[in-house]
Amino acid sequence: MNFDFLVLGTGSATPVVNRHPSAFLLSIENESFLIDCGEGTQYRLLEQKVKSSRIRHIFISHLHGDHYFGLVGLLSSWSMNQRKEDLTIFAPRGLDEILTTQFKHSDTRLHYKINFVETDTENAFHLLETNLVTVETIPLHHRIPCCGFLFRSKACKRKIVAENLPANFPIPYLKMLKDGLDIYDELSGISYKNEDYTIAGGTSKSFAYCSDTAYNELKINQLQNIDGIYHEATFTDSELKRAEQTNHSTARQAAMIAQKTNAKQLIIGHYSSRYKSLDTHISEAQEVFENTFLAEEGKTYKI
């Protein structure tokens, strides 16, 4: 199962020329999930040739501007482009009021329906279940209510080995084979043993998005043995006190979370504008957790 994490923005609150605010696209097979929507996200999506019709769910971690200021423009543009697909937005309380006020005073009339779901930022809470994935919140510790998001794909159904199927195999039985069932055809008296015609599907995968947060170990149990983590790493060790004051994490602290959760892969981002080079970020993180990667805008990471 494809599990692709596209980085659209890696910066933090203070803008710099070569970094955009937080925005990411997680694609699982044919479903795409937009996670945070900083200023200019719609331009990043255009650059990456992302089809808006594939995005039916948007997740906003918290209401600091660098994580949602791009949302009004994106939603308005989708309407002008005659979007018809319903959209669900998961976000802390208050974003629905912000959007309503913006659209009221600009006389913006959307051509599609928005469903708003308020997130629980204090507890791990089940948000969404589709045919492919479940999503729950990850409580984070920031200056305002904030949560991350844990995506778990469902185990794939068995895959049919087409060359093993007999000629004129009844099409209605294909779904039964994918579901792992043996089949007995009463009309012909023929039995079809599942293991003769299928192989195992892909295993479930998991990915955690941990937005702005001070270092805390409360989420470790929730994220045990996870396949991939994106974790903010605003500062390096030299600014540890600043990280504590602003409820952010250092690169080393992000790596400590990956290590303690027995994660397979860590991607760090949300870099402070004070850093022109990210060499120290990656070196400090890899001292703790070797399989760490710097989030690079426009790059897709395979989970």
Side-chain angles (χ1 to χ4, degrees):
M1 178 178 289
N2 294 330
F3 221 85
D4 298 334
F5 184 63
L6 170 61
V7 177
L8 301 171
T10 62
S12 55
T14 304
V16 293
V17 172
N18 60 341
R19 294 179 198 143
H20 300 97
S22 291
F24 306 87
L25 190 76
L26 181 65
S27 296
I28 305 172
E29 292 298 307
N30 61 345
E31 295 186 12
S32 293
F33 306 92
L34 182 62
I35 311 174
D36 279 339
C37 188
E39 188 176 354
T41 294
Q42 63 175 315
Y43 297 102
R44 310 283 81 74
L45 292 171
L46 289 172
E47 289 173 353
Q48 298 300 318
K49 298 179 172 56
V50 175
K51 293 183 178 180
S52 65
S53 60
R54 294 188 61 190
I55 302 175
R56 297 175 182 267
H57 304 90
I58 297 178
F59 297 84
I60 303 297
S61 61
H62 64 297
L63 298 186
H64 280 155
D66 54 318
H67 293 260
Y68 84 93
F69 276 172
L71 191 56
V72 170
L74 177 65
L75 300 180
S76 300
S77 294
W78 280 353
S79 186
M80 288 189 288
N81 289 329
Q82 302 302 310
R83 178 191 174 103
K84 301 299 182 185
E85 297 85 7
D86 289 357
L87 179 70
T88 301
I89 299 176
F90 302 90
R93 176 183 299 175
L95 184 59
D96 51 343
E97 180 182 355
I98 292 169
L99 294 177
T100 299
T101 300
Q102 289 270 4
F103 292 148
K104 173 184 176 181
H105 292 288
S106 63
D107 193 26
T108 299
R109 305 178 188 186
L110 302 181
H111 296 291
Y112 56 93
K113 180 181 178 181
I114 292 181
N115 302 303
F116 183 83
V117 178
E118 182 180 319
T119 53
D120 183 345
T121 60
E122 299 294 327
N123 304 284
F125 183 78
H126 178 83
L127 281 181
L128 175 69
E129 181 169 355
T130 73
N131 291 332
L132 293 177
V133 67
T134 62
V135 187
E136 61 186 57
T137 57
I138 305 169
L140 300 177
H141 182 63
H142 197 42
R143 292 191 294 114
I144 62 174
C146 181
C147 67
F149 304 100
L150 174 58
F151 296 81
R152 294 189 188 275
S153 65
K154 298 179 180 178
C156 295
K157 293 186 177 183
R158 295 187 66 81
K159 295 183 179 180
I160 293 174
V161 183
E163 58 267 28
N164 290 357
L165 294 176
N168 302 316
F169 183 81
I171 293 178
Y173 292 158
L174 293 176
K175 183 179 184 300
M176 296 174 67
L177 287 179
K178 291 181 180 179
D179 289 338
L181 301 175
D182 293 329
I183 298 168
Y184 175 71
D185 188 341
E186 295 183 354
L187 292 178
S188 66
I190 299 175
S191 295
Y192 301 95
K193 198 168 184 179
N194 191 276
E195 64 184 27
D196 294 335
Y197 304 101
T198 69
I199 58 174
T203 58
S204 174
K205 292 183 180 180
S206 53
F207 177 77
Y209 174 82
C210 297
S211 178
D212 299 18
T213 181
Y215 177 81
N216 74 83
E217 299 186 354
L218 297 178
K219 55 184 176 288
I220 287 175
N221 288 338
Q222 184 184 8
L223 305 185
Q224 273 300 311
N225 300 315
I226 199 160
D227 290 296
I229 300 178
Y230 167 85
H231 198 290
E232 74 117 295
T234 308
F235 299 105
T236 58
D237 285 352
S238 63
E239 296 292 335
L240 178 59
K241 287 188 177 180
R242 179 64 178 162
E244 294 172 347
Q245 291 169 353
T246 57
N247 288 313
H248 281 294
S249 295
T250 66
R252 186 180 302 275
Q253 289 173 332
M256 290 168 62
I257 294 296
Q259 181 190 59
K260 291 176 183 293
T261 58
N262 194 32
K264 294 184 176 68
Q265 178 183 13
L266 170 66
I267 303 165
I268 56 174
H270 198 266
Y271 315 119
S272 168
S273 60
R274 72 186 63 206
Y275 300 103
K276 307 308 176 187
S277 168
L278 301 174
D279 291 345
T280 304
H281 281 75
I282 192 64
S283 63
E284 291 182 352
Q286 288 182 338
E287 286 176 5
V288 177
F289 187 80
E290 184 176 358
N291 201 30
T292 300
F293 302 88
L294 291 171
E296 299 179 30
E297 295 186 16
K299 184 173 181 179
T300 297
Y301 297 80
K302 299 286 185 180
I303 306 303

